[in-house]
Amino acid sequence: MPFDFSLVTAPFRMHPGLRRVAAGAPQLTPALPNSRHLREKMAVLASFPAQALRSVPGFDALPVLAAAAAEAARSEPVAFSIDGQAAHAPLLGWSVRGGEPHGEGDPAIGALLAALAPPQRATALLCLAFEEDFAVLDGATSAVPWLAVCLPSRWAPADKVGLHFAEIHGPVADSSTLVAASEPLARLVTGRERWERFVWTISADPKLNQHPAQGRSAWPGDVDADTLVALATFRSERQTFVPMEGSPCALFTIHVDSVPLAVAIDSPQAAIRVHDAVASMSDAVLAYRGLEDARERLLAWLAARARSPSPR
Protein backbone atom coordinates (compact mmCIF):
# COMPACT_ATOMS: atom_id res chain seq x y z
CA MET A 1 0.00 0.00 0.00
CA PRO A 2 1.48 3.43 -0.93
CA PHE A 3 2.50 5.63 1.96
CA ASP A 4 -0.03 8.31 2.92
CA PHE A 5 1.94 11.57 2.74
CA SER A 6 -0.79 13.46 4.57
CA LEU A 7 0.84 11.91 7.66
CA VAL A 8 4.01 13.95 7.03
CA THR A 9 3.80 17.24 8.89
CA ALA A 10 6.00 20.27 9.53
CA PRO A 11 7.54 21.34 11.74
CA PHE A 12 8.82 17.82 12.27
CA ARG A 13 8.35 16.55 15.82
CA MET A 14 8.90 13.21 17.53
CA HIS A 15 5.48 12.38 18.98
CA PRO A 16 3.24 9.31 19.44
CA GLY A 17 1.01 10.12 16.46
CA LEU A 18 -1.48 7.42 17.41
CA ARG A 19 -4.79 6.95 15.64
CA ARG A 20 -7.43 4.24 15.88
CA VAL A 21 -7.22 1.42 13.36
CA ALA A 22 -10.18 1.65 11.00
CA ALA A 23 -12.87 -0.91 11.79
CA GLY A 24 -12.09 -4.18 10.06
CA ALA A 25 -8.73 -2.99 8.70
CA PRO A 26 -6.14 -5.81 8.68
CA GLN A 27 -3.11 -5.50 10.91
CA LEU A 28 -1.15 -8.37 9.39
CA THR A 29 0.19 -8.89 5.86
CA PRO A 30 0.79 -12.48 4.71
CA ALA A 31 4.28 -13.08 3.33
CA LEU A 32 4.05 -14.73 -0.06
CA PRO A 33 6.58 -17.30 -1.29
CA ASN A 34 9.73 -15.66 -2.69
CA SER A 35 8.57 -12.21 -1.59
CA ARG A 36 11.08 -9.57 -0.56
CA HIS A 37 10.13 -9.58 3.12
CA LEU A 38 10.29 -13.37 3.27
CA ARG A 39 13.71 -13.52 1.60
CA GLU A 40 15.24 -10.96 3.97
CA LYS A 41 13.69 -12.58 7.03
CA MET A 42 14.99 -15.98 5.98
CA ALA A 43 18.48 -14.56 5.59
CA VAL A 44 18.38 -13.14 9.12
CA LEU A 45 16.95 -16.25 10.77
CA ALA A 46 19.37 -18.51 8.92
CA SER A 47 22.48 -16.57 9.95
CA PHE A 48 21.61 -14.43 12.99
CA PRO A 49 18.56 -15.86 14.82
CA ALA A 50 19.80 -14.56 18.17
CA GLN A 51 19.69 -11.01 16.79
CA ALA A 52 15.99 -11.34 15.97
CA LEU A 53 14.38 -13.71 18.49
CA ARG A 54 14.70 -12.39 22.04
CA SER A 55 12.74 -12.85 25.27
CA VAL A 56 13.19 -12.50 28.99
CA PRO A 57 13.93 -15.78 30.83
CA GLY A 58 10.89 -17.97 31.30
CA PHE A 59 8.62 -16.08 28.90
CA ASP A 60 5.91 -18.29 27.38
CA ALA A 61 5.49 -17.45 23.70
CA LEU A 62 2.39 -19.64 23.16
CA PRO A 63 -0.12 -16.87 24.10
CA VAL A 64 1.68 -14.57 21.66
CA LEU A 65 1.39 -17.11 18.87
CA ALA A 66 -2.28 -17.60 19.76
CA ALA A 67 -2.90 -13.84 19.58
CA ALA A 68 -1.24 -13.68 16.17
CA ALA A 69 -3.32 -16.64 15.00
CA ALA A 70 -6.53 -14.99 16.24
CA GLU A 71 -5.62 -11.82 14.34
CA ALA A 72 -4.74 -13.84 11.23
CA ALA A 73 -8.16 -15.51 11.37
CA ARG A 74 -9.79 -12.12 10.74
CA SER A 75 -8.45 -12.11 7.16
CA GLU A 76 -8.41 -14.38 4.14
CA PRO A 77 -6.35 -16.28 3.32
CA VAL A 78 -5.37 -17.34 6.83
CA ALA A 79 -1.57 -17.23 6.89
CA PHE A 80 -0.98 -18.57 10.41
CA SER A 81 -2.90 -20.75 12.84
CA ILE A 82 -2.45 -22.62 16.10
CA ASP A 83 -3.82 -26.09 16.84
CA GLY A 84 -2.96 -27.03 20.41
CA GLN A 85 0.83 -26.88 20.52
CA ALA A 86 1.19 -26.95 16.72
CA ALA A 87 1.77 -23.84 14.58
CA HIS A 88 0.85 -23.78 10.89
CA ALA A 89 1.77 -21.42 8.03
CA PRO A 90 -0.37 -22.85 5.20
CA LEU A 91 0.68 -20.32 2.56
CA LEU A 92 4.30 -21.38 3.09
CA GLY A 93 3.47 -25.08 3.31
CA TRP A 94 5.14 -25.60 6.72
CA SER A 95 4.09 -26.40 10.28
CA VAL A 96 5.87 -26.89 13.59
CA ARG A 97 4.42 -29.75 15.63
CA GLY A 98 5.99 -30.92 18.86
CA GLY A 99 8.89 -28.59 18.13
CA GLU A 100 9.61 -30.32 14.80
CA PRO A 101 9.10 -28.84 11.31
CA HIS A 102 6.74 -30.65 8.93
CA GLY A 103 5.68 -29.70 5.43
CA GLU A 104 6.18 -29.82 1.71
CA GLY A 105 6.76 -26.14 0.98
CA ASP A 106 10.06 -24.50 0.05
CA PRO A 107 12.75 -26.91 1.32
CA ALA A 108 14.90 -23.91 2.32
CA ILE A 109 12.25 -22.95 4.90
CA GLY A 110 12.22 -26.47 6.31
CA ALA A 111 16.01 -26.52 6.53
CA LEU A 112 16.02 -23.12 8.25
CA LEU A 113 13.48 -24.26 10.85
CA ALA A 114 15.34 -27.52 11.46
CA ALA A 115 18.59 -25.63 12.08
CA LEU A 116 17.04 -23.54 14.86
CA ALA A 117 16.71 -24.61 18.47
CA PRO A 118 13.32 -26.36 18.91
CA PRO A 119 11.88 -23.64 21.21
CA GLN A 120 12.57 -21.05 18.49
CA ARG A 121 10.91 -22.84 15.61
CA ALA A 122 7.25 -21.85 16.09
CA THR A 123 8.23 -18.22 16.63
CA ALA A 124 10.41 -18.32 13.52
CA LEU A 125 7.48 -19.73 11.54
CA LEU A 126 5.34 -16.81 12.75
CA CYS A 127 8.05 -14.40 11.56
CA LEU A 128 8.14 -16.01 8.12
CA ALA A 129 4.34 -16.17 7.75
CA PHE A 130 3.95 -12.37 7.79
CA GLU A 131 5.72 -9.30 6.49
CA GLU A 132 5.38 -7.75 9.94
CA ASP A 133 7.81 -8.06 12.82
CA PHE A 134 6.47 -8.50 16.35
CA ALA A 135 6.95 -7.53 19.97
CA VAL A 136 4.91 -7.76 23.16
CA LEU A 137 4.17 -4.71 25.31
CA ASP A 138 3.05 -5.50 28.86
CA GLY A 139 0.57 -2.88 30.03
CA ALA A 140 1.04 -3.84 33.68
CA THR A 141 4.78 -3.14 33.69
CA SER A 142 5.23 -1.00 30.54
CA ALA A 143 8.02 -3.43 29.60
CA VAL A 144 8.74 -5.39 26.42
CA PRO A 145 9.44 -9.01 27.43
CA TRP A 146 9.50 -10.60 23.95
CA LEU A 147 10.57 -9.60 20.44
CA ALA A 148 10.66 -11.33 17.07
CA VAL A 149 12.20 -8.60 14.92
CA CYS A 150 14.08 -9.54 11.76
CA LEU A 151 13.94 -6.13 10.01
CA PRO A 152 14.84 -3.45 12.58
CA SER A 153 15.47 0.18 11.69
CA ARG A 154 18.92 0.88 13.12
CA TRP A 155 18.25 -0.73 16.52
CA ALA A 156 19.11 -4.10 18.05
CA PRO A 157 16.35 -6.22 19.63
CA ALA A 158 18.91 -7.65 22.07
CA ASP A 159 19.35 -4.15 23.52
CA LYS A 160 15.59 -3.61 24.03
CA VAL A 161 14.20 -6.85 25.44
CA GLY A 162 13.01 -6.52 29.02
CA LEU A 163 13.28 -2.74 29.06
CA HIS A 164 10.61 -0.27 30.11
CA PHE A 165 8.79 1.52 27.27
CA ALA A 166 10.49 4.79 28.25
CA GLU A 167 13.97 3.22 28.27
CA ILE A 168 13.42 1.84 24.79
CA HIS A 169 12.69 5.29 23.37
CA GLY A 170 15.30 7.10 25.45
CA PRO A 171 18.02 7.02 22.73
CA VAL A 172 15.66 8.44 20.09
CA ALA A 173 16.50 12.06 19.22
CA ASP A 174 14.13 14.74 20.54
CA SER A 175 12.01 12.04 22.20
CA SER A 176 11.31 13.83 25.50
CA THR A 177 7.58 14.15 24.77
CA LEU A 178 7.33 10.47 23.85
CA VAL A 179 9.32 9.36 26.91
CA ALA A 180 7.32 11.56 29.28
CA ALA A 181 4.07 10.03 28.02
CA SER A 182 5.32 6.44 28.10
CA GLU A 183 3.27 5.22 31.07
CA PRO A 184 -0.15 6.49 29.87
CA LEU A 185 0.74 5.47 26.31
CA ALA A 186 1.52 1.91 27.41
CA ARG A 187 -1.81 1.70 29.25
CA LEU A 188 -3.67 3.12 26.25
CA VAL A 189 -2.25 0.81 23.58
CA THR A 190 -2.60 -2.32 25.72
CA GLY A 191 -6.31 -1.70 26.24
CA ARG A 192 -9.16 -3.13 24.19
CA GLU A 193 -8.96 -0.64 21.33
CA ARG A 194 -6.70 -1.03 18.30
CA TRP A 195 -4.16 1.68 17.52
CA GLU A 196 -1.68 2.44 14.78
CA ARG A 197 1.08 4.93 14.06
CA PHE A 198 3.38 5.63 11.11
CA VAL A 199 7.02 6.68 11.01
CA TRP A 200 9.29 7.46 8.06
CA THR A 201 12.78 8.49 7.08
CA ILE A 202 15.03 8.76 4.03
CA SER A 203 17.82 6.20 3.88
CA ALA A 204 20.94 5.47 1.86
CA ASP A 205 20.35 1.75 2.48
CA PRO A 206 17.56 0.01 0.54
CA LYS A 207 17.59 -3.16 2.65
CA LEU A 208 14.64 -3.89 4.92
CA ASN A 209 16.98 -5.31 7.57
CA GLN A 210 18.96 -2.42 9.04
CA HIS A 211 20.31 -4.03 12.19
CA PRO A 212 23.15 -1.81 13.48
CA ALA A 213 25.59 -4.75 13.38
CA GLN A 214 25.66 -4.49 9.59
CA GLY A 215 26.82 -0.87 9.66
CA ARG A 216 25.22 2.19 8.14
CA SER A 217 25.47 3.05 4.44
CA ALA A 218 27.12 6.44 4.01
CA TRP A 219 25.82 9.14 1.70
CA PRO A 220 28.31 9.88 -1.09
CA GLY A 221 29.80 13.32 -0.65
CA ASP A 222 30.89 14.01 -4.22
CA VAL A 223 27.65 13.61 -6.21
CA ASP A 224 24.89 16.02 -7.17
CA ALA A 225 21.30 15.96 -5.90
CA ASP A 226 19.91 13.83 -8.74
CA THR A 227 22.62 11.21 -8.33
CA LEU A 228 22.14 11.17 -4.56
CA VAL A 229 18.37 10.69 -4.91
CA ALA A 230 18.94 7.80 -7.30
CA LEU A 231 20.59 6.04 -4.33
CA ALA A 232 18.03 7.13 -1.74
CA THR A 233 15.05 5.19 -0.41
CA PHE A 234 11.93 6.28 1.44
CA ARG A 235 11.67 3.98 4.47
CA SER A 236 8.39 3.78 6.36
CA GLU A 237 6.86 1.74 9.15
CA ARG A 238 3.27 1.04 10.05
CA GLN A 239 3.16 0.11 13.72
CA THR A 240 -0.02 -1.33 15.23
CA PHE A 241 -1.20 -2.73 18.55
CA VAL A 242 -3.32 -5.90 18.69
CA PRO A 243 -5.11 -6.63 22.01
CA MET A 244 -4.20 -9.99 23.54
CA GLU A 245 -7.36 -11.56 24.91
CA GLY A 246 -7.33 -12.20 28.66
CA SER A 247 -3.99 -10.44 29.07
CA PRO A 248 -2.78 -6.94 30.02
CA CYS A 249 -0.47 -7.14 26.99
CA ALA A 250 -0.67 -6.07 23.37
CA LEU A 251 0.98 -7.61 20.34
CA PHE A 252 2.96 -4.83 18.67
CA THR A 253 3.34 -5.22 14.90
CA ILE A 254 5.92 -3.43 12.73
CA HIS A 255 5.54 -3.41 8.95
CA VAL A 256 8.62 -1.99 7.23
CA ASP A 257 8.66 -0.81 3.63
CA SER A 258 11.48 0.68 1.57
CA VAL A 259 10.84 2.29 -1.82
CA PRO A 260 13.19 4.29 -4.07
CA LEU A 261 12.74 7.92 -3.09
CA ALA A 262 12.09 9.07 -6.66
CA VAL A 263 9.28 6.49 -6.91
CA ALA A 264 7.77 7.17 -3.49
CA ILE A 265 7.58 10.95 -4.01
CA ASP A 266 4.92 10.68 -6.69
CA SER A 267 3.42 14.17 -6.60
CA PRO A 268 4.40 17.80 -5.96
CA GLN A 269 2.28 17.70 -2.79
CA ALA A 270 4.27 14.78 -1.38
CA ALA A 271 7.51 16.56 -2.26
CA ILE A 272 6.40 19.73 -0.46
CA ARG A 273 5.41 17.84 2.68
CA VAL A 274 8.67 15.89 2.89
CA HIS A 275 10.73 18.99 2.01
CA ASP A 276 9.17 21.04 4.78
CA ALA A 277 9.51 18.21 7.31
CA VAL A 278 13.21 17.62 6.53
CA ALA A 279 13.89 21.37 6.52
CA SER A 280 12.45 21.63 10.03
CA MET A 281 14.34 18.68 11.57
CA SER A 282 16.65 19.56 14.43
CA ASP A 283 20.36 18.81 14.24
CA ALA A 284 19.80 15.98 16.74
CA VAL A 285 17.14 14.34 14.57
CA LEU A 286 19.26 14.73 11.42
CA ALA A 287 22.19 13.08 13.19
CA TYR A 288 20.02 10.29 14.63
CA ARG A 289 18.65 9.54 11.16
CA GLY A 290 21.97 9.90 9.40
CA LEU A 291 20.76 12.75 7.19
CA GLU A 292 23.27 15.51 7.98
CA ASP A 293 25.42 14.92 4.90
CA ALA A 294 22.45 14.53 2.57
CA ARG A 295 20.12 17.23 3.89
CA GLU A 296 20.90 20.11 1.51
CA ARG A 297 20.92 17.94 -1.61
CA LEU A 298 17.68 16.24 -0.59
CA LEU A 299 16.05 19.61 0.01
CA ALA A 300 17.20 20.86 -3.39
CA TRP A 301 15.77 17.81 -5.16
CA LEU A 302 12.50 17.93 -3.19
CA ALA A 303 12.08 21.63 -3.97
CA ALA A 304 12.61 20.94 -7.68
CA ARG A 305 10.21 18.00 -7.55
CA ALA A 306 7.60 20.21 -5.87
CA ARG A 307 7.73 22.52 -8.89
CA SER A 308 7.44 19.63 -11.37
CA PRO A 309 3.95 18.88 -12.71
CA SER A 310 4.54 15.13 -13.02
CA PRO A 311 6.83 12.42 -11.58
CA ARG A 312 10.24 12.08 -13.19
Side-chain angles (χ1 to χ4, degrees):
M1 181 181 297
F3 184 80
D4 180 3
F5 283 94
S6 69
L7 299 168
V8 178
T9 59
F12 181 88
R13 295 289 183 269
M14 299 296 293
H15 59 85
L18 288 170
R19 68 181 189 183
R20 289 178 174 82
V21 174
Q27 291 176 250
L28 294 177
T29 310
L32 301 179
N34 202 37
S35 62
R36 179 187 183 188
H37 285 74
L38 180 59
R39 290 195 305 270
E40 289 209 31
K41 285 189 172 193
M42 287 180 64
V44 171
L45 292 173
S47 299
F48 311 106
Q51 288 184 356
L53 309 180
R54 309 292 303 194
S55 66
V56 297
F59 184 85
D60 181 8
L62 187 58
V64 183
L65 302 179
E71 179 60 25
R74 298 176 61 229
S75 304
E76 290 291 342
V78 176
F80 186 79
S81 63
I82 290 288
D83 176 13
Q85 297 290 318
H88 310 282
L91 299 184
L92 302 181
W94 284 98
S95 300
V96 173
R97 297 194 299 270
E100 297 297 324
H102 299 269
E104 298 180 352
D106 182 352
I109 294 178
L112 185 159
L113 295 171
L116 295 172
Q120 294 179 317
R121 290 171 180 165
T123 297
L125 187 64
L126 170 67
C127 289
L128 298 177
F130 298 103
E131 294 185 358
E132 283 78 10
D133 280 331
F134 302 96
V136 169
L137 176 61
D138 188 334
T141 63
S142 299
V144 175
W146 179 94
L147 300 104
V149 178
C150 298
L151 310 175
S153 297
R154 312 307 318 162
W155 58 277
D159 295 340
K160 306 298 183 182
V161 66
L163 295 187
H164 188 279
F165 198 49
E167 293 177 294
I168 287 174
H169 290 95
V172 177
D174 290 359
S175 63
S176 56
T177 300
L178 191 60
V179 170
S182 60
E183 291 282 355
L185 277 175
R187 290 193 296 270
L188 176 67
V189 299
T190 55
R192 296 302 92 194
E193 293 188 274
R194 294 166 178 265
W195 298 92
E196 65 182 359
R197 68 187 294 259
F198 296 82
V199 297
W200 63 272
T201 191
I202 299 172
S203 176
D205 187 346
K207 294 190 295 295
L208 298 174
N209 172 29
Q210 294 192 3
H211 192 285
Q214 70 180 23
R216 170 174 264 168
S217 298
W219 295 100
D222 56 351
V223 301
D224 62 17
D226 286 338
T227 304
L228 182 90
V229 167
L231 302 172
T233 58
F234 186 85
R235 184 179 178 90
S236 62
E237 293 184 11
R238 182 198 184 207
Q239 304 172 357
T240 83
F241 297 85
V242 179
M244 292 178 60
E245 196 66 33
S247 167
C249 299
L251 181 63
F252 178 49
T253 76
I254 311 166
H255 187 276
V256 174
D257 199 10
S258 177
V259 179
L261 182 63
V263 174
I265 305 297
D266 59 357
S267 69
Q269 292 75 26
I272 291 169
R273 284 183 172 274
V274 176
H275 175 280
D276 292 350
V278 172
S280 65
M281 287 180 180
S282 69
D283 291 343
V285 168
L286 290 169
Y288 179 75
R289 298 189 169 206
L291 292 174
E292 317 102 298
D293 295 337
R295 178 182 183 273
E296 297 308 318
R297 286 172 289 174
L298 290 173
L299 290 176
W301 183 87
L302 289 164
R305 177 67 189 89
R307 297 190 294 269
S308 175
S310 60
R312 295 181 178 180

